[in-house]
Amino acid sequence: MSDRARIAVCQTEPVLLDLAANVAATAAVVRDCVGRGADVIVLPELATCGYMFETVEEARAAAVGLDHEVFRVWRAALGSGDGVLVAGFAEAGADGRLYNSAVVLDRTGIRTVYRKTHLWHREKRFFTPGDLPPAVVETPHGRIGVLICYDLEFPEMPRTLALAGADLVAAPTNWSRAEIRTGSEPPQILMARAAARASHVYVAACDRRGVERGQEFTGGSVIIDPEGWPLATPTSDHIALADVTLPTARTRTLTPLNDLFTDRRPTLYTL
């Protein structure tokens, strides 16, 4: 396992319903990040298609199966190194249902696919919620788990990944923008920081940017350390980079008398 890993979150602006354009754009940004030495690259939720569907027919037209060319294109963009990509897409399931999914991909192919468990608002009109817990993927850089957007609002989700051994929670998001009061962070970023601190994991939340059918997005991408402190946010090129040692998340000793996991008393908790 490498000592240091460079994490990249790429705050792209998908073109609604234009799969070809989005595949080309995301592949280009993946190649750019690889050129900058990125080891783990995260793209937004529904990076292949955009978010503001109006009909089920639109969502179905935007969805792809796991044998789609996009995954070969992304693998090629990663090159021959040990890079790992986490990216959101609309999945056409073999069961005929549509899922809001994220793939973990490396040069060997698809490592896992996670289907969003907690659907936000109008997503319920188009997608079926996933019914399996997210997996933890062992990589040369550390152990990676995946959540999608609203999943982060449920503390049980990042905690489940941490207990399963995750060092990094990669979270593709499409955070819709609401009022941001002067001098404050968007609540979604506060939730991501709380998730990192409460479970002592790195979090790489990759939001999107832009306006789609009147919906503005927060553009709140951030890389967070296990104590909840932001390490990086996107620069003018819409990419955030941070160099971290992911396995350090496994040391959960907070003080000489406190360990985050052994201090737990789950027999007293009612979920």
Side-chain angles (χ1 to χ4, degrees):
M1 182 176 295
S2 57
D3 291 333
R4 299 281 283 178
R6 177 162 291 179
I7 312 299
V9 297
C10 310
Q11 193 163 270
T12 61
E13 185 175 4
V15 179
L16 184 64
L17 303 177
D18 194 336
L19 177 63
N22 294 323
V23 171
T26 53
V29 78
V30 169
R31 287 192 294 270
D32 181 29
C33 289
V34 170
R36 301 192 202 188
D39 300 296
V40 180
I41 302 165
V42 188
L43 296 176
E45 179 181 10
L46 298 175
T48 56
C49 57
Y51 185 81
M52 294 298 291
F53 306 122
E54 291 184 344
T55 65
V56 173
E57 290 72 25
E58 281 191 346
R60 189 168 297 280
V64 300
L66 298 183
D67 58 351
H68 194 273
E69 178 74 1
V70 59
F71 303 109
R72 187 200 65 77
V73 172
W74 281 344
R75 282 177 62 193
L78 285 172
S80 59
D82 289 327
V84 178
L85 175 66
V86 181
F89 69 103
E91 180 190 354
D95 57 5
R97 298 174 178 176
L98 302 181
Y99 298 93
N100 184 341
S101 297
V103 65
V104 179
L105 186 78
D106 63 17
R107 65 183 178 186
T108 69
I110 293 174
R111 299 290 306 279
T112 192
V113 172
Y114 168 67
R115 293 170 170 172
K116 187 175 183 178
T117 304
H118 303 90
L119 299 178
W120 173 254
H121 190 33
R122 61 200 308 280
E123 294 170 28
K124 295 184 178 184
R125 294 169 50 192
F126 312 115
F127 297 112
T128 297
D131 58 5
L132 294 175
V136 175
V137 177
E138 189 82 47
T139 79
H141 318 294
R143 302 169 186 156
I144 300 174
V146 179
L147 300 176
I148 301 175
C149 203
Y150 188 41
D151 288 330
L152 281 172
E153 305 272 342
F154 298 84
E156 302 90 342
M157 296 296 285
R159 174 57 58 86
T160 295
L161 284 172
L163 289 171
D167 305 317
L168 169 69
V169 174
T173 75
N174 274 189
W175 285 332
S176 55
R177 187 178 180 91
E179 177 187 6
I180 300 176
R181 299 175 185 175
T182 302
S184 63
E185 284 184 316
Q188 300 98 322
I189 295 177
L190 292 176
M191 290 298 297
R193 293 180 62 183
R197 182 173 178 86
S199 290
H200 204 265
V201 290
Y202 291 92
V203 172
C206 187
D207 200 7
R208 62 160 290 171
R209 67 183 196 273
V211 179
E212 194 174 274
R213 286 181 170 165
Q215 175 63 64
E216 185 177 2
F217 293 90
T218 299
S221 299
V222 62
I223 303 170
I224 306 164
D225 76 11
E227 295 186 353
W229 292 103
L231 297 174
T233 56
T235 57
S236 59
D237 61 1
H238 310 295
I239 295 173
L241 297 169
D243 293 332
V244 302
T245 305
L246 290 178
T248 60
R250 301 172 198 174
T251 302
R252 293 186 165 93
T253 301
L254 306 178
T255 77
L257 299 178
N258 293 101
D259 180 277
L260 184 65
F261 281 3
T262 60
D263 282 349
R264 295 173 64 247
R265 301 183 66 189
T267 59
L268 303 182
Y269 306 152
T270 301
L271 298 180

